[in-house]
């Protein structure tokens, strides 16, 4: 699908004032039906068709990227060893495993590519959609959105963290669900940690928007899941 064929447009019925009140009260808000339906459907189709996914996995503070080709060439023993290392890391520390397609932060790089994901990140970073995000979060300092597509397959997860990274100037985080059919029993829940843990399933075309820092995680996707848990995620950031 060509970039210019994707109809990026906000749902005109969104109540920005009500959303801002909810965000101010709770530090997070769910924006249902964020995009017009055809835009969300187009993004889902793109993610399912892409073949340039890379698996990202960490070992302590080091992050590694494995293409699908590299993983296909691994022996059964190598795959088992990687699985064991990932689960061992999750027992007591920060650990993640999922697939990703990253979008460049630089506006010039985004403009120089036909990647529709870059076009979506650029769309989030300007005009009425950025105005809406500023109003809902109360963060007038938001200048742009960074982005990556993510796909959580069975066994993938992301343990607890708070997104507070020095120098990134993150004002808020977002997760746009892009899997049309999902059962809560399949896992992949966006969990907010606290005295009472709150969990949000990956509802299609729903934007989860939350303040940074705020401790959260993504629960493991079960083997029963019929689909990957697709989303576009990132942070709303200030340039200065």
């Amino acid at each position: 699908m060509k970039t210019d064929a994707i109809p990026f447009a906000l749902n005109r019925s969104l109540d920005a004032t009500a959303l801002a009140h909810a965000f101010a009260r709770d530090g997070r808000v769910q924006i249902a039906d964020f995009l017009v339906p055809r835009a969300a459907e187009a993004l889902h189709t793109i993610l399912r068709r892409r073949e340039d996914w890379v698996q990202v996995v960490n070992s302590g503070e080091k992050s590694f990227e494995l293409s699908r080709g590299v993983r296909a060439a691994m022996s059964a023993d190598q795959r088992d060893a990687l699985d064991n290392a990932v689960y061992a890391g999750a027992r007591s520390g920060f650990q993640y495993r999922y697939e990703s397609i990253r979008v460049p932060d630089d506006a010039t790089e985004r403009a120089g590519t036909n990647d529709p994901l870059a076009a979506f990140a650029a769309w989030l970073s300007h005009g009425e959609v950025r105005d809406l995000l500023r109003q809902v979060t109360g963060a007038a300092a938001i200048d742009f959105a960074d982005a990556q597509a993510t796909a959580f397959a069975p066994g993938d997860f992301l343990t607890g963290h708070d997104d507070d990274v020095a120098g990134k100037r993150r004002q808020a985080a977002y997760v746009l669900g892009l899997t049309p059919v999902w059962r809560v029993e399949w896992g992949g829940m966006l969990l907010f940690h606290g005295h009472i843990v709150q969990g949000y399933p990956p509802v299609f075309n729903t934007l989860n928007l939350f303040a940074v820092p705020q401790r959260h995680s993504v629960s493991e996707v079960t083997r029963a899941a019929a689909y990957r848990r697709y989303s576009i995620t990132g942070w709303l950031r200030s340039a200065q």
Side-chain angles (χ1 to χ4, degrees):
M1 181 177 293
K2 294 181 180 179
T3 299
D4 59 6
I6 301 174
F8 296 135
L10 280 172
N11 174 2
R12 293 293 181 182
S13 67
L14 297 178
D15 186 340
T17 300
L19 293 170
H21 284 319
F23 189 92
R25 182 188 65 234
D26 302 327
R28 52 184 175 266
V29 68
Q30 287 191 296
I31 307 178
D33 300 321
F34 179 66
L35 299 169
V36 295
R38 65 187 183 278
E41 291 160 5
L43 283 170
H44 168 249
T45 298
I46 287 165
L47 297 188
R48 288 203 68 183
R49 291 177 177 175
R50 292 286 287 255
E51 298 180 353
D52 54 336
W53 293 96
V54 295
Q55 186 181 71
V56 292
V57 59
N58 70 306
S59 177
E61 295 184 356
K62 294 184 178 180
S63 182
F64 301 90
E65 296 187 354
L66 304 172
S67 70
R68 288 181 173 179
V70 167
R71 282 180 285 145
M74 294 171 67
S75 68
D77 287 344
Q78 288 173 323
R79 288 193 293 270
D80 287 344
L82 179 58
D83 282 348
N84 291 336
V86 167
Y87 287 118
R91 292 189 183 105
S92 59
F94 177 54
Q95 186 67 52
Y96 54 80
R97 181 179 64 194
Y98 57 89
E99 286 190 309
S100 173
I101 302 173
R102 299 190 184 278
V103 174
D105 290 349
D106 183 75
T108 302
E109 288 186 63
R110 291 178 180 181
T113 177
N114 290 323
D115 188 344
L117 297 179
F120 178 73
W123 177 76
L124 283 180
S125 301
H126 297 91
E128 64 175 356
V129 63
R130 185 176 63 178
D131 291 343
L132 173 74
L133 296 171
R134 286 172 170 172
Q135 181 178 353
V136 172
T137 61
I142 292 171
D143 291 313
F144 72 99
D146 62 20
Q148 66 171 323
T150 62
F152 284 69
D156 289 346
F157 60 89
L158 172 63
T159 64
H161 61 292
D162 65 11
D163 288 345
D164 189 13
V165 178
K168 292 293 186 179
R169 300 178 295 277
R170 294 168 174 170
Q171 305 296 313
Y174 71 89
V175 180
L176 175 63
L178 288 170
T179 304
V181 178
W182 194 265
R183 296 183 62 178
V184 171
E185 297 93 330
W186 293 347
M189 300 280 284
L190 176 60
L191 302 175
F192 290 96
H193 300 199
H195 179 66
I196 298 176
V197 176
Q198 290 188 305
Y200 299 89
V203 178
F204 184 66
N205 196 20
T206 291
L207 186 77
N208 285 283
L209 190 61
F210 52 98
V212 174
Q214 189 166 177
R215 192 162 181 80
H216 61 285
S217 60
V218 176
S219 66
E220 182 176 354
V221 174
T222 75
R223 289 186 294 175
Y227 312 100
R228 286 182 169 84
R229 176 194 184 273
Y230 290 111
S231 63
I232 296 177
T233 71
W235 294 274
L236 309 178
R237 295 165 55 185
S238 59
Q240 296 288 340

